[in-house]
């Protein structure tokens, strides 16, 4: 029948396609002839396009290379500054270590052991003469008063020592320290740097030796480092006062350094910073703290303008190259656009013909598949559909001979069964608001009151710009599919009922016959044990009696697993409570079960499905979850039963659950199944649904919903 229906249509389609191909070939040959006419500049245009295309990356690459070279030059300057700072730091640290060593040697002089300081005065003068930069040597008692100063005769009255902070540090630590640069001395008339060493005798601090010297040696080391003339170098003490400077040293010596320098020292002992000098010039400075100096640091910085000048020039070159490249790209785009526009005229005609052929093929395919097409126009509140659509919905056709007919949204929804109308409306609204595809099955009511199952699928056109308020889709007859599903569910329901009846019969047989026989055997063994009291063989009889008791318990448990009598006699609630208690005792983890709103008994088939599904869920937890605690909540809300099963086990990835659901029969035989398919099949018998949420290490949660029609609720 399908061949007879589709044959003429396909033949007509083939004839039309051949005719359109002939037309397309004629037009294509015409355009080819027109394209072959020589035009001015056609022979040179490809060469010019290639030249422009080659110049664009060349200009950009040249600008980028210039920038990289300038940036490398700046980095080299910074590296040179870092090396210079490190070299100067090592030399100054070495010089200060030598000065400390001489001061400590002088503090250990035996001339300080006698009652008079005259011998030490002479020795100190001799040592100062050997060190031209030393201005004076001072000896201070423990109260801070000077006992000796080479700038005054021995025995002359002297005042307290200067730089009290370094003096107190020696008193506190009994270690040699390097002080900072002091103010202009009243005696020396100079700004001097002090070194203090403790004079310890018999593990007792007697004096503090102070050596004051001019910072010319430090300045010579700094200025001899070979820095560029526009660079600024400085050595500052722990307080941030300038000890030596490459520029304007005579004016800046002893003065506080710039705020940026002092802030950098306070933040880190070494590094780099950008700040303004005392002259107001912005410099990029590298600095490093000096060992053995109590916080001195060396700073060397170059003007930011000088360092960044090559980079700025390279940026200008790069920007210029970018502008020229942009102009060349525009020229190349203009030439390319001309060629594209010339070809577009012919290609648009070809595309129009190809679109017509494609539409014709689609129409024939839809007709062969017995599908209907529909279009939901939300702005105008109407639905446009083919004749097949109206046939499937039982709606009247429009004008005779028209390929499509229109009807209002209201008339379209009235053709949907009242129970399915809300589902269809919700699917359409989600598609219009969220862009989701429509895929919903529903029952259509024909004028003769007959019902037919159909499925509509569709989506919003994927176009650029704002999404139109129009849905395009197809409609198909799924009556045969629904009939097959109904027959399958009926078969599953009968199989489940037969399985429950058989399990009920086997459980009754185990309990009533085998159980009673085992009970009688146990009683007989008990009587025999009493008769053999104190005789040989009593222990064997006792062991047989214990084995018989264990066998009786196993038979009772097997009968309960097959079909618990509490489910038939007392209902779902008591049966689950007994099952949870027995489960906790047998397998050693906590099962907490709660009932919310479940006051009446449910229909027997629903109670059986719920019990079997929860039984399978707990079995899955035991086999795979490695859980310690399990929570079950049954809540009845109106005509719907909600069940939540949650464990604290190892969990699993969501995709692994999906893989198990879609596993083939061969895969299921090669690994232990989780029983999810069986649980879903049981739930489908009562129109129930189930879904799972799980993450590795976070346990697994099972959600179940079962509708409870009012006529299925029993008291």
């Amino acid at each position: 029948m399908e061949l007879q229906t589709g044959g003429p249509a396909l033949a007509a389609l083939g004839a039309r396609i051949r005719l359109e191909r002939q037309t397309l070939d004629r037009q294509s040959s015409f355009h080819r002839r027109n394209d072959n006419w020589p035009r001015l500049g056609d022979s040179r245009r490809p060469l010019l396009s290639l030249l422009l295309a080659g110049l664009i990356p060349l200009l950009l690459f040249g600008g980028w290379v210039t920038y990289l070279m300038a940036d490398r030059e700046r980095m080299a300057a910074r590296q040179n500054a870092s090396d210079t700072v490190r070299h100067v730091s090592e030399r100054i640290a070495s010089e200060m270590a030598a000065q400390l060593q001489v001061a400590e040697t002088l503090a250990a002089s035996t001339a300080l052991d006698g009652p008079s300081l005259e011998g030490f005065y002479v020795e100190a003068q001799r040592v100062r003469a050997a060190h031209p930069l030393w201005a004076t040597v001072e000896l201070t008692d423990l109260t801070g008063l000077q006992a000796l100063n080479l700038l005054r005769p021995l025995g002359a009255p002297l005042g307290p020592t200067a730089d009290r902070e370094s003096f107190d540090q020696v008193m506190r630590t009994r270690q040699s320290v390097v002080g900072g640069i002091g103010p202009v001395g009243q005696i020396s008339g100079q700004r001097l740097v002090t070194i203090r060493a403790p004079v310890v005798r018999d593990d007792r601090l007697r004096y503090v030796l102070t050596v004051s010297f001019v910072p010319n040696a430090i300045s010579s080391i700094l200025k001899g480092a070979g820095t560029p003339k526009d660079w600024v170098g400085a050595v500052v003490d722990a307080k941030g006062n300038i000890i030596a400077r490459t520029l304007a040293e005579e004016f800046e010596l002893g003065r506080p350094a710039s705020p940026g320098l002092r802030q950098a020292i306070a933040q880190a002992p070494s590094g780099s910073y950008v700040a303004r000098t005392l002259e107001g010039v912005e410099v990029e400075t590298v600095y490093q703290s000096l060992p053995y100096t109590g916080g001195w640091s060396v700073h060397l910085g170059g003007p930011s303008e000088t360092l960044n000048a090559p980079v700025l020039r390279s940026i200008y070159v790069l920007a210029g190259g970018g502008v020229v490249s942009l102009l060349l790209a525009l020229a190349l785009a203009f030439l390319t656009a001309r060629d594209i526009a010339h070809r577009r005229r012919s290609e648009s005609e070809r595309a129009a013909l190809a679109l017509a052929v494609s539409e014709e093929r689609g129409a024939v395919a839809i007709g062969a598949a017995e599908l209907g097409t529909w279009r939901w126009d939300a702005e105008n509140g109407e639905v446009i559909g083919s004749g097949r659509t109206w046939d499937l919905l039982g709606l009247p056709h429009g004008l005779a001979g028209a390929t499509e007919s229109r009807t209002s949204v209201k008339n379209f929804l009235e053709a949907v069964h009242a129970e399915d109308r809300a589902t269809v409306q919700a699917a359409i609204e989600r598609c219009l608001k969220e862009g989701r595809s429509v895929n919903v099955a529903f029952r259509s009511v024909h004028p003769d009151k007959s019902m037919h199952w159909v499925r509509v699928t569709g989506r919003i056109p994927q176009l650029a710009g704002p999404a139109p308020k129009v849905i395009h889709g197809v409609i198909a007859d799924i009556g045969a599919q629904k009939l097959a599903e109904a027959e399958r569910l009926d078969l599953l329901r009968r199989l489940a009922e037969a399985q429950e009846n058989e399990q009920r019969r086997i459980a009754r047989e185990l309990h009533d016959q085998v159980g009673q026989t085992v009970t009688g055997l146990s009683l007989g063994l008990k009587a025999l044990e009493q008769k053999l009291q104190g005789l040989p063989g009593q222990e064997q009889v006792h062991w047989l009696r214990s084995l018989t008791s264990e066998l009786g318990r196993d038979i009772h448990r097997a009968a309960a697993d097959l079909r618990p009598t509490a489910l038939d006699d007392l209902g779902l609630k008591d049966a689950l409570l007994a099952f949870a208690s027995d489960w906790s005792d047998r397998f050693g983890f906590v099962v907490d079960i709660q009932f919310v709103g479940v006051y009446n008994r449910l229909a027997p088939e629903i109670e059986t499905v719920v019990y079997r599904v929860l039984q399978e869920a707990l079995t899955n937890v035991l086999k795979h979850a490695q859980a310690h605690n399990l929570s079950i909540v049954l809540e009845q809300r109106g005509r719907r039963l909600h069940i939540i099963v949650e464990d604290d086990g190892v969990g699993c990835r969501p995709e692994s659950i999906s893989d198990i659901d879609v596993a083939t029969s061969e895969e299921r035989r090669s690994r232990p199944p989780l029983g999810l398919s069986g649980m879903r099949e049981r739930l489908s018998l009562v129109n129930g649904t189930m879904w799972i949420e799980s993450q590795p290490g976070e346990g697994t949660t099972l959600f179940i919903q079962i509708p409870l029609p009012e006529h299925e609720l029993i008291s």
Side-chain angles (χ1 to χ4, degrees):
M1 186 65 184
E2 292 180 358
L3 293 175
Q4 294 176 1
T5 303
L10 292 174
L13 174 61
R16 179 170 180 176
I17 291 175
R18 286 193 296 273
L19 178 62
E20 290 173 345
R21 282 181 178 174
Q22 293 174 2
T23 305
L24 179 62
D25 292 340
R26 287 196 298 271
Q27 293 186 1
S28 298
S29 61
F30 173 76
H31 286 295
R32 284 195 297 270
R33 289 195 301 272
N34 288 343
D35 291 343
N36 291 330
W37 285 100
R39 289 177 297 169
L40 182 62
D42 279 359
S43 60
R44 295 191 299 270
R45 186 175 298 141
L47 181 60
L48 181 59
S49 299
L50 290 175
L51 179 61
L52 294 178
L55 285 175
I56 292 173
L58 184 62
L59 289 172
L60 294 177
F61 178 75
W64 180 246
V65 170
T66 304
Y67 172 78
L68 291 179
M69 293 179 63
D71 187 64
R72 182 176 298 177
E73 181 180 349
R74 178 172 61 178
M75 296 300 296
R78 289 180 176 176
Q79 184 62 39
N80 185 33
S82 299
D83 295 341
T84 303
V85 166
R86 184 169 58 255
H87 177 68
V88 170
S89 299
E90 292 174 354
R91 291 192 58 189
I92 294 177
S94 177
E95 177 68 23
M96 296 306 298
Q99 297 289 347
L100 277 172
Q101 185 177 4
V102 175
E104 291 173 350
T105 303
L106 186 59
S109 173
T110 57
L112 290 171
D113 297 339
S116 174
L117 297 177
E118 183 176 355
F120 179 76
Y121 188 86
V122 174
E123 184 177 355
Q125 285 182 326
R126 180 181 58 79
V127 175
R128 185 184 69 171
H131 295 80
L133 296 181
W134 283 23
T136 183
V137 176
E138 170 190 323
L139 197 63
T140 309
D141 62 16
L142 301 184
T143 63
L145 294 177
Q146 298 182 56
L148 180 149
N149 192 322
L150 296 185
L151 296 177
R152 287 286 187 270
L154 184 63
L158 302 172
T161 184
D163 191 9
R164 185 75 183 194
E165 292 182 6
S166 61
F167 174 80
D168 292 339
Q169 186 177 356
V170 175
M171 294 288 294
R172 185 174 59 256
T173 63
R174 293 192 179 188
Q175 300 290 332
S176 301
V177 299
V178 177
I181 187 168
V184 177
Q186 297 179 356
I187 301 176
S188 64
Q190 294 177 307
R191 293 183 181 273
L192 304 176
V193 178
T194 60
I195 295 177
R196 295 185 187 271
V199 179
V200 180
R201 297 292 185 272
D202 299 329
D203 199 26
R204 185 171 61 89
L205 181 65
R206 294 183 58 188
Y207 297 102
V208 175
L209 176 69
T210 304
V211 175
S212 301
F213 61 91
V214 293
N216 292 351
I218 300 172
S219 179
S220 299
I221 295 173
L222 181 64
K223 294 178 180 178
T227 58
K229 63 178 182 178
D230 56 345
W231 284 55
V232 180
V235 180
V236 299
D237 60 15
K239 295 181 180 180
N241 297 326
I242 296 175
I243 298 175
R245 198 168 188 266
T246 57
L247 298 179
E249 184 180 50
E250 62 275 12
F251 302 106
E252 305 297 341
L253 189 64
R255 293 181 56 186
S258 64
L261 185 149
R262 296 198 302 273
Q263 183 179 3
I265 296 175
Q267 290 178 349
S270 61
S272 62
Y273 60 92
V274 178
R276 291 190 176 275
T277 64
L278 296 173
E279 293 83 5
V281 179
E282 185 181 89
V283 293
E284 297 184 16
T285 305
V286 180
Y287 71 97
Q288 181 174 336
S289 296
L290 299 177
Y292 317 118
T293 58
W296 289 18
S297 57
V298 179
H299 301 254
L300 182 62
S304 300
E305 183 178 357
T306 303
L307 289 173
N308 295 328
V311 177
L312 290 176
R313 287 194 298 270
S314 66
I315 291 176
Y316 294 149
V317 172
L318 184 60
V323 172
V324 175
S325 300
L326 178 61
L327 295 176
L328 294 178
L330 292 175
L332 180 61
F334 174 74
L335 294 176
T336 305
R338 288 186 59 184
D339 291 340
I340 292 175
H342 178 71
R343 287 179 170 82
R344 185 175 296 173
R345 291 192 298 270
S346 59
E347 291 179 356
S348 61
E349 296 179 359
R350 296 176 186 176
L353 292 176
L355 178 61
V357 173
S358 177
E359 290 178 349
E360 186 66 24
R361 288 175 177 172
V364 172
I366 290 175
E370 296 185 352
L371 300 176
T373 60
W374 57 275
R375 187 168 65 255
W376 187 289
D377 189 348
E379 293 183 354
N380 298 322
E382 61 181 6
V383 180
I384 302 96
S386 62
R388 177 61 176 168
T389 300
W390 307 129
D391 291 338
L392 293 177
L393 295 176
L395 294 175
H397 289 244
L399 298 176
T403 58
E404 292 184 335
S405 302
R406 300 173 180 267
T407 188
S408 65
V409 170
K410 179 181 178 182
N411 292 339
F412 182 91
L413 292 176
E414 287 180 352
V416 180
H417 194 278
E419 296 180 359
D420 302 333
R421 198 168 296 157
T423 304
V424 175
Q425 286 181 303
I428 294 294
E429 291 176 359
R430 283 196 303 269
C431 181
L432 293 173
K433 293 179 180 179
E434 304 175 12
R436 298 185 183 181
S437 298
V438 177
N439 188 351
V440 59
F442 61 89
R443 293 163 290 180
S444 65
V445 182
H446 286 209
D448 58 358
K449 305 302 181 181
S450 61
M451 288 189 300
H452 301 266
W453 276 98
V454 297
R455 180 181 296 278
V456 293
T457 57
R459 61 181 178 87
I460 296 177
Q462 305 298 316
L463 303 175
K469 298 297 183 181
V470 178
I471 304 175
H472 293 263
V474 296
I475 184 171
D477 183 4
I478 60 171
Q481 177 183 349
K482 285 294 180 179
L483 180 60
E485 290 180 2
E487 292 176 351
R488 175 178 173 276
L489 285 178
D490 181 64
L491 177 60
L492 289 176
R493 188 176 292 107
R494 284 186 288 152
L495 288 175
E497 183 178 356
Q499 181 182 6
E500 291 296 332
N501 291 334
E502 182 64 17
Q503 289 181 350
R504 185 183 291 109
R505 185 190 66 79
I506 296 173
R508 189 181 299 113
E509 292 290 336
L510 287 174
H511 184 271
D512 295 343
Q513 295 184 10
V514 181
Q516 291 180 6
T517 302
V518 172
T519 301
L521 178 60
S522 178
L523 293 175
L525 290 173
K526 180 179 180 181
L528 180 59
E529 181 184 4
Q530 292 176 353
K531 289 181 179 181
L532 295 176
Q533 188 74 26
L535 297 177
Q538 179 187 1
E539 294 181 357
Q540 288 80 358
V541 174
H542 179 74
W543 176 78
L544 289 174
R545 179 189 169 196
S546 301
L547 184 62
T548 305
S549 299
E550 184 66 27
L551 179 61
R553 286 192 294 270
D554 291 341
I555 292 173
H556 178 75
R557 186 178 296 115
D561 290 340
L562 286 172
R563 181 69 184 184
T565 57
L567 184 62
D568 296 325
D569 300 336
L570 303 177
L572 177 64
K573 184 174 182 180
D574 292 331
L576 288 178
L577 289 174
F579 177 67
S581 176
D582 179 66
W583 195 268
S584 299
D585 296 338
R586 290 169 62 185
F587 302 110
F589 59 84
V590 179
V591 179
D592 178 43
I593 184 167
Q594 300 290 332
F595 296 88
V596 180
V598 182
Y599 304 114
N600 301 322
R601 290 198 58 177
L602 306 176
E605 60 271 17
I606 294 180
E607 289 188 342
T608 300
V609 167
V610 172
Y611 185 86
R612 292 305 184 190
V613 167
L614 291 180
Q615 190 178 37
E616 184 64 31
L618 266 66
T619 302
N620 290 341
V621 171
L622 178 64
K623 289 181 179 179
H624 309 285
Q626 302 178 20
H628 301 286
N629 297 278
L630 182 69
S631 173
I632 303 175
V633 178
L634 287 86
E635 181 180 3
Q636 182 178 340
R637 302 178 192 169
R639 297 185 181 180
R640 191 168 293 273
L641 180 64
H642 300 265
I643 304 174
I644 301 175
V645 183
E646 185 175 10
D647 66 67
D648 60 352
V650 297
C652 60
R653 296 188 306 276
E655 57 267 22
S656 66
I657 299 174
S658 302
D659 294 342
I660 292 171
D661 286 345
V662 300
T664 63
S665 58
E666 190 69 27
E667 292 172 338
R668 290 178 181 176
R669 285 193 296 269
S670 64
R671 62 182 179 185
L674 293 184
L676 298 179
S677 299
M679 295 166 66
R680 286 197 170 95
E681 285 185 355
R682 283 189 178 273
L683 289 171
S684 66
L685 300 178
V686 292
N687 298 322
T689 57
M690 179 184 72
W691 66 95
I692 300 174
E693 292 182 0
S694 182
Q695 289 293 336
E698 298 182 4
T700 303
T701 304
L702 180 69
F703 297 92
I704 299 173
Q705 287 189 7
I706 300 176
L708 302 175
E710 187 173 3
H711 64 276
E712 290 191 2
L713 298 175
I714 63 175
S715 59

